[in-house]
Amino acid sequence: MLKFVSTTTPSPKLNTLERNKRKNGTYCLLDVNQNYEKALVYEDGNLNSGTLEAFIQHMVPSIDYYPERTYLFAFLLSSRLYIKPHQLLHDVCQVCIRQQKLTSPDMDRERLKKFCPNLLQLLSEWTETFPYDFRDERMMRHLRDITQKCIAVDASQRKVVGQLMQALIKRLATLEKYEDVLARVNTAAAERMHALRANPASFQTNIIDVCPSPYVLAQQLTHIELERLTNIGPEEFVQSFMKEGTDDAQVRFQDLKRTKNLEAYVEWFNRLSYLVATEVCMHIKRKHRARLIEYFIDVARECFNIGNFNSLMAIMSGLNLSPVARLKKTWGKINTDKFDVLEHQMDPTSNFTTYRQSLKAAMHRALSAQEGACDKIVIPFFSLLVKDFYFLNEGCSNRMPNGYINFQKFWQFAKQVTEFIQWKQVDCPYPRDRQALNYLLTAPVFSENSLYLASYESENPETQFERDQYKTLKMQCSASQK
């Protein structure tokens, strides 16, 4: 049983959850069976801080209480900084069993029939929003155990439980399929790179031959971006901040540092940047290099128009890599007006102010667009999004001076992740060009040293530093071929 207690003098009328969330004063939500340390503190009607035990108690439903969805999402997202998901689910189940006497011989079945739908709704929201938590067999064991107890109380819930489990298994199967495809794509890319090293003459095709239209290539890039964005779990942002040996978390690092899909997305950005540079630098003839640069500028512009800011930034990053940027004779054959406009859009000055304005405009456009429309697409510059999360994490303390958990940080995380979830739920409306997609994902990509070597062979080194670097790279290349 829970009740609110004023930090000054309690009023006998303040006896319900919502009545006590008033704007004047600070109130603590206490478990009457525990000590006063287990409290939730409200300020100006907003949940501000509390103990982990009190937060767990607050998320457990009853017959006439269900936690707000915003609270549930925020707590499930960030609680993993303090407790493992499987331990959290275990604790929630134990609270339910004790409070509702689920295993007691004298349980009130009619009362429990009103409680079980609320508990199943909680589990449904958890499995829908954070399905990757349930890749842990301990989570599945707790889930099966508590749902079977619900069925034992009320057999009519069997269908609901079945639907919950089927939906979860489908989500996990989709993730497993995606990760399998990702592994096969990476293997194919590695094999093509190995073939190139064995026979350089075999690498004849360039991206314009495969996809002459910059607009179509921008569409295919958007397919890849949305597919990879979709498979990032919202919890991966929080888990990326986990530090080995963190006192606050009291959790095993290897248990929570699961950010495979987030890391794969960052790797995709790097691949695209180096693919752009490779496509330019591999050509000996200047006119071919100039043509490729102009082509990628047009692709970047189409990405901007679509709202695909991640591919836009990756392409601009590739064109700004030193092996490409130093090709002065090549750039001299290009009208850089469009390039300069895009550079301004992605200018890092004042924490990417111009980009953030463009992102807001794209978000506003998406809000008014119909489902399935191209204007629904918003793909943020992902590295900057992760950086924003990082600084939010570093800038807000995990705990208050009294040792309570700082829930304001949870709210801020939840607000930003909610936007991310909206972006990744959009289906790509463009037709797929499988040949272009395959090329983008598996075409050989030069290393930084290989790019420099190709660049110097295209346009001779000008400075002493470049001449020394070129000499060193040639020696390394000769040594590796022996």
Side-chain angles (χ1 to χ4, degrees):
M1 180 178 177
L2 302 174
K3 69 178 181 180
F4 275 97
V5 180
S6 170
T7 53
T8 54
T9 304
S11 165
K13 295 182 179 180
L14 300 179
N15 56 3
T16 64
L17 183 67
E18 295 303 323
R19 202 176 298 164
N20 283 278
K21 292 183 182 177
R22 66 190 214 182
K23 293 186 177 180
N24 298 317
T26 301
Y27 290 85
C28 298
L29 181 63
L30 303 181
D31 184 338
V32 296
N33 297 317
Q34 303 293 334
N35 60 45
Y36 276 18
E37 294 299 314
K38 296 182 173 67
L40 297 182
V41 177
Y42 288 84
E43 291 185 357
D44 298 327
N46 298 313
L47 183 54
N48 184 63
S49 63
T51 63
L52 180 61
E53 295 86 352
F55 286 132
I56 295 172
Q57 180 76 66
H58 193 44
M59 75 172 283
V60 176
S62 64
I63 291 175
D64 52 6
Y65 166 73
Y66 191 83
E68 293 180 358
R69 293 195 68 183
T70 51
Y71 167 78
L72 193 57
F73 175 75
F75 184 64
L76 288 175
L77 175 67
S78 296
S79 61
R80 61 198 70 234
L81 288 169
Y82 306 91
I83 184 173
K84 299 173 188 177
H86 77 89
Q87 291 176 329
L88 174 60
L89 182 55
H90 171 268
D91 290 354
V92 168
C93 293
Q94 290 304 307
V95 172
C96 290
I97 290 170
R98 287 197 305 269
Q99 287 187 346
Q100 304 300 329
K101 299 181 180 179
L102 276 172
T103 57
S104 174
D106 59 345
M107 69 173 73
D108 187 339
R109 287 185 176 272
E110 291 305 313
R111 178 180 172 83
L112 287 175
K113 285 181 180 180
K114 298 177 182 178
F115 164 74
C116 286
N118 281 352
L119 175 57
L120 292 175
Q121 176 62 29
L122 174 74
L123 296 172
S124 177
E125 289 194 37
W126 194 335
T127 56
E128 286 175 10
T129 313
F130 301 97
Y132 300 174
D133 285 348
F134 293 85
R135 300 185 88 178
D136 186 335
E137 180 53 37
R138 294 167 295 187
M139 290 287 290
M140 291 300 292
R141 188 164 58 248
H142 292 321
L143 181 63
R144 285 191 290 264
D145 181 62
I146 194 65
T147 52
Q148 287 305 308
K149 284 182 170 60
C150 288
I151 292 173
V153 168
D154 184 0
S156 67
Q157 297 299 325
R158 188 181 299 277
K159 181 179 180 181
V160 176
V161 171
Q163 291 171 339
L164 185 155
M165 298 299 289
Q166 288 176 5
L168 175 59
I169 291 170
K170 183 179 179 180
R171 291 187 186 93
L172 295 180
T174 300
L175 174 63
E176 187 174 342
K177 181 180 178 181
Y178 164 73
E179 291 180 346
D180 180 61
V181 169
L182 209 59
R184 286 191 279 115
V185 164
N186 291 339
T187 299
E191 289 173 349
R192 290 191 66 179
M193 192 68 215
H194 179 75
L196 172 64
R197 286 175 180 147
N199 182 18
S202 65
F203 191 33
Q204 299 292 335
T205 307
N206 67 49
I207 198 163
I208 297 179
D209 297 332
V210 174
C211 185
S213 168
Y215 180 57
V216 172
L217 192 75
Q219 293 177 343
Q220 303 316 302
L221 288 170
T222 303
H223 269 293
I224 296 171
E225 298 281 356
L226 285 174
E227 181 183 43
R228 302 210 171 190
L229 203 66
T230 298
N231 286 284
I232 297 173
E235 72 282 356
E236 291 190 48
F237 290 101
V238 175
Q239 288 166 183
S240 67
F241 305 135
M242 296 301 301
K243 298 176 182 178
E244 199 161 8
T246 300
D247 292 336
D248 237 350
Q250 297 181 2
V251 290
R252 188 157 57 91
F253 177 78
Q254 290 81 2
D255 247 356
L256 284 181
K257 187 76 173 179
R258 296 176 181 170
T259 56
K260 180 187 292 186
N261 297 310
L262 186 150
E263 291 168 6
Y265 194 38
V266 173
E267 289 170 4
W268 155 249
F269 179 95
N270 295 334
R271 173 183 167 79
L272 180 55
S273 295
Y274 273 77
L275 176 63
V276 168
T278 300
E279 290 287 319
V280 174
C281 290
M282 71 179 183
H283 290 286
I284 298 298
K285 291 187 177 181
R286 190 186 308 168
K287 66 177 182 179
H288 290 160
R289 295 194 300 273
R291 185 182 175 210
L292 262 299
I293 290 175
E294 290 174 337
Y295 174 82
F296 280 118
I297 291 172
D298 287 339
V299 174
R301 185 178 63 172
E302 295 298 343
C303 286
F304 176 81
N305 292 336
I306 288 172
N308 180 356
F309 297 104
N310 201 56
S311 289
L312 164 62
M313 181 57 89
I315 293 169
M316 297 301 289
S317 175
L319 293 176
N320 278 296
L321 286 174
S322 295
V324 179
R326 65 167 297 276
L327 300 172
K328 295 179 182 178
K329 294 177 182 178
T330 304
W331 283 95
K333 297 179 68 68
I334 298 168
N335 183 335
T336 59
D337 288 347
K338 289 185 287 186
F339 180 80
D340 294 338
V341 170
L342 294 172
E343 282 253 282
H344 174 69
Q345 287 293 333
M346 310 310 288
D347 184 0
T349 303
S350 301
N351 196 19
F352 290 87
T353 299
T354 306
Y355 156 71
R356 293 182 189 278
Q357 290 173 348
S358 298
L359 179 64
K360 284 184 178 179
M363 290 168 62
H364 180 73
R365 179 185 67 188
L367 284 174
S368 58
Q370 295 181 349
E371 290 298 324
C374 301
D375 287 347
K376 273 288 183 185
I377 297 171
V378 180
I379 303 173
F381 173 29
F382 193 70
S383 294
L384 185 60
L385 180 65
V386 173
K387 181 182 175 183
D388 288 343
F389 276 108
Y390 173 80
F391 282 113
L392 174 59
N393 180 60
E394 293 296 310
C396 295
S397 61
N398 285 342
R399 295 188 181 272
M400 307 297 283
N402 65 355
Y404 280 12
I405 292 173
N406 180 9
F407 204 81
Q408 287 301 312
K409 184 173 183 176
F410 285 26
W411 288 128
Q412 292 298 317
F413 270 137
K415 181 181 178 182
Q416 291 200 24
V417 172
T418 298
E419 288 182 345
F420 164 78
I421 291 175
Q422 292 172 344
W423 296 333
K424 76 171 193 167
Q425 288 176 338
V426 175
D427 293 326
C428 189
Y430 303 117
R432 299 174 73 93
D433 183 328
R434 297 200 175 277
Q435 189 177 10
L437 287 168
N438 183 61
Y439 190 91
L440 287 167
L441 292 168
T442 65
V445 172
F446 289 177
S447 66
E448 186 176 21
N449 284 347
S450 296
L451 285 173
Y452 270 114
L453 192 59
S455 178
Y456 290 140
E457 290 175 349
S458 298
E459 294 188 18
N460 292 332
E462 296 182 350
T463 67
Q464 187 60 46
F465 173 80
E466 289 186 344
R467 285 189 285 271
D468 291 342
Q469 185 182 32
Y470 183 36
K471 182 178 179 181
T472 301
L473 290 172
K474 287 180 68 176
M475 291 174 60
Q476 291 174 349
C477 184
S478 298
S480 65
Q481 291 175 351
K482 290 181 180 179

